[in-house]
């Protein structure tokens, strides 16, 4: 189906879904969620051009944000059958991969979980094209996990330069790839056991029952300046970090064996995370704050990447039966808030996603304080928001019966 066909579709046969206060919308500001995803993808292709492609002496790098963004394009292609989206992903990710599977600018000795994330697009392209170079590149990334430094309990370090540290971000970067690779290439149960261990350990060390939220990171040694000297956790609840974890959980379940004993625990953790997130949704606009539990405090702002991630994860959770339909009003309010408050239509007809936190982390100059999280740059169209926004639209389209 091409783009023109999508905009022409009318939905006469689908049942009308109801929330407590009436029927749920089929459109948001005049477009269906799928149409919004297409508009955003097309806008971003025009903005980015070939800037994400590897070129000799170029600036593009093997990057987790490009991995997320291109994966959203391939998922969109599954719904609208537009070869432009495959071509964009192939140019952006495939341009890094040599015929022998070597990956330009990738260094295994960095032991960075961020570098695993583009592997999801690599696996998708391998299944689409059957090109052996994609399989060989995926093998290289999978091999990193066998030698990735770990905590004493077996949790992956986030990176070599962040020793003994586990971040929520890292679960999204590595766990879904690990599980998909294991399923695709028939790895033994031990691989899925290891994926489950990563999820279990992160929950055990970062979940705060008082707030019902997850801390951004945990330091096994309790030596980092940002780490609590008793618990080892960081001190605040950063929206995108929790969003990374939410997406990790719901995406891992795509590949996790139905009969694995840890599957029910992963679903329970997803529900626990979503129950916490729901408590902090801004009642006025339906969005979530940069520092989730400090809505309205000076400097805090309603943040696009986390809001898009939460809507995506919860909508997908309901669509797959992991979460009940009780979440639907929250999800719909969140998506409507993104469209209403964060989407900007530009003079040339393209659309932009505003109020994206550019970057945040833990380490030198990043003390994990409230003041730190609210001072990082806020930008438009960060790929860490654009990708989840596209994915959220796909799940919303299904959720609302469109």
């Amino acid at each position: 189906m091409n783009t023109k066909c999508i905009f022409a579709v009318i939905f006469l046969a689908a049942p009308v879904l109801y929330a407590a206060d009436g029927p749920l919308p089929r459109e948001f500001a005049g477009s269906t969620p799928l149409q919004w995803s297409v508009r955003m993808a097309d806008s971003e292709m025009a903005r980015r051009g070939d800037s994400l492609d590897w070129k000799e002496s170029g600036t593009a790098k093997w990057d987790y944000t490009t991995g997320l963004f291109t994966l959203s394009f391939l998922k969109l292609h599954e719904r609208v059958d537009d070869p432009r989206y495959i071509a964009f992903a192939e140019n952006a990710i495939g341009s890094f991969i040599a015929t022998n599977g070597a990956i330009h600018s990738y260094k295994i000795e960095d032991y960075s979980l961020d570098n695993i994330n583009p592997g999801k697009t690599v696996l998708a392209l391998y299944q689409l094209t059957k090109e052996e170079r994609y399989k060989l590149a995926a093998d290289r990334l999978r091999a990193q996990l066998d030698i990735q430094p770990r905590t004493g309990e077996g949790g992956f370090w986030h990176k070599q330069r962040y020793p003994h540290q586990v971040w929520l971000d890292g679960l999204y970067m590595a766990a879904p790839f690990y599980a998909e690779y294991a399923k695709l290439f028939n790895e033994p149960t031990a691989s899925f056991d290891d994926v489950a261990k990563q999820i279990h350990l992160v929950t055990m060390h970062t979940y705060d029952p008082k707030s019902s939220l997850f801390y951004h990171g945990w330091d096994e040694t309790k030596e980092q300046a940002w780490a609590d000297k008793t618990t080892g956790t960081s001190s605040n609840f950063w929206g995108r970090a929790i969003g990374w974890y939410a997406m990790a959980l719901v995406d891992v379940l795509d590949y996790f064996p139905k009969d694995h004993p840890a599957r029910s625990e992963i679903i329970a953790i997803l529900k626990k995370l979503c129950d916490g997130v729901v408590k902090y949704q801004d009642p006025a606009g339906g969005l979530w704050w940069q520092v989730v539990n400090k809505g309205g405090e000076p400097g805090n702002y309603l943040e696009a990447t986390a809001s898009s991630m939460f809507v995506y994860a919860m909508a997908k959770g309901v669509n797959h039966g992991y979460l009940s339909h009780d979440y639907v009003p929250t999800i719909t309010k969140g998506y409507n808030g993104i469209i209403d408050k964060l989407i900007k239509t530009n003079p040339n007809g393209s659309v932009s996603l505003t109020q994206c936190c550019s970057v945040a982390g833990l380490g030198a100059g990043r003390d994990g304080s409230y003041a730190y999280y609210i001072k990082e740059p806020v930008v438009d169209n960060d790929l860490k928001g654009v990708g989840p926004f596209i994915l959220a639209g796909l799940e919303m389209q299904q959720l609302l019966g469109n």
Side-chain angles (χ1 to χ4, degrees), residues 48-358:
R48 300 282 171 174
D50 64 354
S51 64
L52 303 178
D53 304 359
W54 181 84
K55 308 177 193 69
E56 198 75 52
S57 303
T59 58
K61 60 181 180 179
W62 185 254
D63 186 77
Y64 70 97
T65 60
T66 305
L68 167 59
F69 181 51
T70 52
L71 185 66
S72 76
F73 270 42
L74 296 181
K75 296 294 185 183
L76 180 59
H77 166 75
E78 292 175 6
R79 303 290 181 91
V80 301
D81 191 21
D82 189 329
R84 295 178 305 144
Y85 300 137
I86 295 179
F88 188 92
E90 281 198 283
N91 290 336
I93 295 298
S95 62
F96 283 84
I97 300 173
T99 55
N100 67 352
I103 303 169
H104 293 293
S105 77
Y106 166 72
K107 298 178 181 178
I108 192 171
E109 61 269 20
D110 290 342
Y111 296 114
S112 170
L113 295 184
D114 288 348
N115 289 336
I116 301 296
N117 194 54
K120 301 168 190 175
T121 302
V122 173
L123 289 176
L125 289 173
Y126 173 66
Q127 293 172 82
L128 280 167
T129 68
K130 305 304 180 186
E131 289 187 34
E132 186 66 12
R133 67 187 178 116
Y134 290 122
K135 167 64 165 60
L136 295 173
D139 291 345
R140 289 174 184 266
L141 299 172
R142 173 63 184 85
Q144 178 185 317
L145 297 178
D146 285 335
I147 55 176
Q148 183 76 11
R150 297 176 181 243
T151 66
E153 297 168 311
F156 290 143
W157 291 7
H158 190 57
K159 297 181 183 181
Q160 176 70 32
R161 66 190 180 97
Y162 298 135
H164 309 286
Q165 298 171 43
V166 175
W167 296 10
L168 295 182
D169 316 30
L171 264 293
Y172 177 77
M173 304 306 160
F177 168 83
Y178 196 173
E180 184 179 8
Y181 186 100
K183 179 180 181 180
L184 192 59
F185 300 112
N186 300 307
E187 290 198 333
T189 302
S191 292
F192 296 103
D193 294 345
D194 197 23
V195 172
K197 176 192 286 186
Q198 304 307 315
I199 293 169
H200 173 79
L201 290 174
V202 164
T203 299
M204 183 173 72
H205 288 298
T206 65
Y207 181 69
D208 173 51
K210 184 176 180 181
S211 66
S212 303
L213 295 172
F214 291 78
Y215 289 107
H216 185 177
W218 174 71
D219 172 24
E220 178 183 31
T221 66
K222 305 178 179 63
E223 294 177 352
Q224 294 298 316
W226 52 259
D228 184 278
K229 301 310 175 188
T230 301
T231 66
T233 63
S234 55
S235 58
N236 278 283
F237 304 105
W238 179 40
R240 186 157 72 229
I242 301 171
W244 287 129
Y245 196 29
M247 293 200 303
L249 294 168
V250 80
D251 287 355
V252 156
L253 289 165
D254 288 343
Y255 314 107
F256 215 79
K258 296 290 192 294
D259 59 350
H260 194 286
R263 186 178 176 87
S264 60
E265 180 189 5
I266 296 171
I267 294 172
I269 293 169
L270 173 66
K271 185 177 185 303
K272 180 160 68 173
L273 184 153
C274 293
D275 286 345
V277 163
V278 166
K279 294 180 182 180
Y280 298 96
Q281 185 179 35
D282 178 55
L287 301 170
W288 283 270
W289 297 85
Q290 165 75 341
V291 180
V292 177
N293 64 326
K294 295 184 177 180
E297 292 198 11
N300 208 1
Y301 59 95
L302 296 164
E303 201 276 325
T305 68
S307 296
S308 298
M309 290 174 176
F310 292 150
V311 170
Y312 164 68
M314 286 192 281
K316 184 174 180 179
V318 173
N319 286 335
H320 286 264
Y322 311 138
L323 303 174
S324 77
H325 280 79
D326 293 342
Y327 293 85
V328 172
T330 296
I331 298 164
T332 306
K333 187 174 184 178
Y335 188 76
N336 186 67
I338 296 169
I339 300 300
D340 185 48
K341 306 294 184 184
L342 302 179
I343 292 293
K344 175 179 66 176
T345 300
N346 303 309
N348 64 0
S350 67
V351 294
S352 292
L353 182 67
T354 65
Q355 292 181 212
C356 302
C357 172
S358 177

